[in-house]
Amino acid sequence: MKKTLTALVALGLSATAALAEYPEKPIEVVVGYSAGGGTDVMARTVAQFLEQELGDGASVVAKNMPGAGGQIGFTEVAGAKPDGYTLGTFNLPAALALTHDREADYDVGSYTYLANFVEDPNTITVAESSPYQTLDELLAAAKADPGAVTIGLSSLGGNDHFGANMMAAASGAEFTLVPFKGASNARTAIMGGHVAGGTMTLGQTTNFPDELRVLAVLADERSDFRPDVPTAKELGYDVQMSSLRGIVAPAGLDEATADQLRAALTAVNENSDFQAMMAEQGNPIAFMVGDEFAETAAKQNAVAAKIWAETPWK
């Protein structure tokens, strides 16, 4: 009996020590996109500061698993052991839009939502040489000749596509949507006048002030990065769409580890050096943690489901 009791006490102490010492090995942050892109840059910046907040020699490393529009990475995280050692970047609405236009091994309930860091609002943008000086002028042309106004997108089934659809629905305009293979190709087409305009995130316009004219930001408030540009809401169109980038873990992560990670990620967000680095990168911070992040994911999933039901893109 004494040996059994001793063994149980030792086991309990061992379990407590293991919990207290998390993380005991490197934490991987799976990035579903190639190195060097916006999501990858965010992940590596967060990882750098998360190591500091976890302390005691913690190691947090980014692991790129690009392919299938991010689906490979999102699937990897959803299927991983929920032990706190596999985290992943999570892009909204893209990650959940993928679950509507194809078979996917995950859905909105497949994750423990830790923290969102970036919200890059969509815009309605034209070339600087465009005859359209305002959003209303662009929309008037699209109403006067339905389908004649072409709108470039980085792809179908993402925030650019959804932003264009929502703007058309709110204004009564009819666009012809032109998807490209990525944001840079769409931007080149807009700047060259090959399409009348486009929807892209504000961050994708900031390095091209002489080539692009941003007519409106699809957000509740004007952006600190471009305070001179009105929101669509100011102009009478209640449309909000953006690209969100955050950090998730697999569903089923124990509460203690989830709380520890959320607290550490909150401290990362509050770090002035982190904020300065994100601003330098052109990453607009919109921090959400835990339930708020999960609720936002559910809302974005509902938007994707509605657009897929009404105007499927495949």
Side-chain angles (χ1 to χ4, degrees), residues 170-244:
S171 64
E174 184 176 327
F175 304 123
T176 293
L177 303 184
V178 183
F180 291 88
K181 292 183 178 180
S184 62
N185 291 333
R187 183 173 53 221
T188 298
I190 296 167
M191 292 191 297
H194 305 298
V195 289
T199 59
M200 63 177 63
T201 65
L202 186 62
Q204 291 162 345
T205 72
T206 52
N207 290 330
F208 302 90
D210 298 327
E211 294 89 359
L212 294 172
R213 179 184 303 137
V214 181
L215 302 182
V217 178
L218 307 187
D220 281 332
E221 299 178 354
R222 294 194 182 200
S223 170
D224 291 339
F225 287 91
R226 286 297 303 273
D228 56 311
V229 177
T231 66
K233 191 171 184 179
E234 285 178 61
L235 301 173
Y237 308 101
D238 191 7
V239 177
Q240 293 90 43
M241 180 50 60
S242 57
S243 172
L244 289 93

Side-chain angles (χ1 to χ4, degrees), residues 14 18 37 52 59 76 88 95 99 119 129 142 145-146 149 157 160 175 196 205 215 225 247 253 268 308 311:
S14 175
Q52 297 175 20
S59 173
E76 177 74 11
T99 68
E119 182 170 13
S129 59
D145 192 357
V149 172
D160 291 356
F175 304 123
T205 72
L215 302 182
F225 287 91
I247 305 293
L253 182 65
V268 168
W308 174 253
T311 54

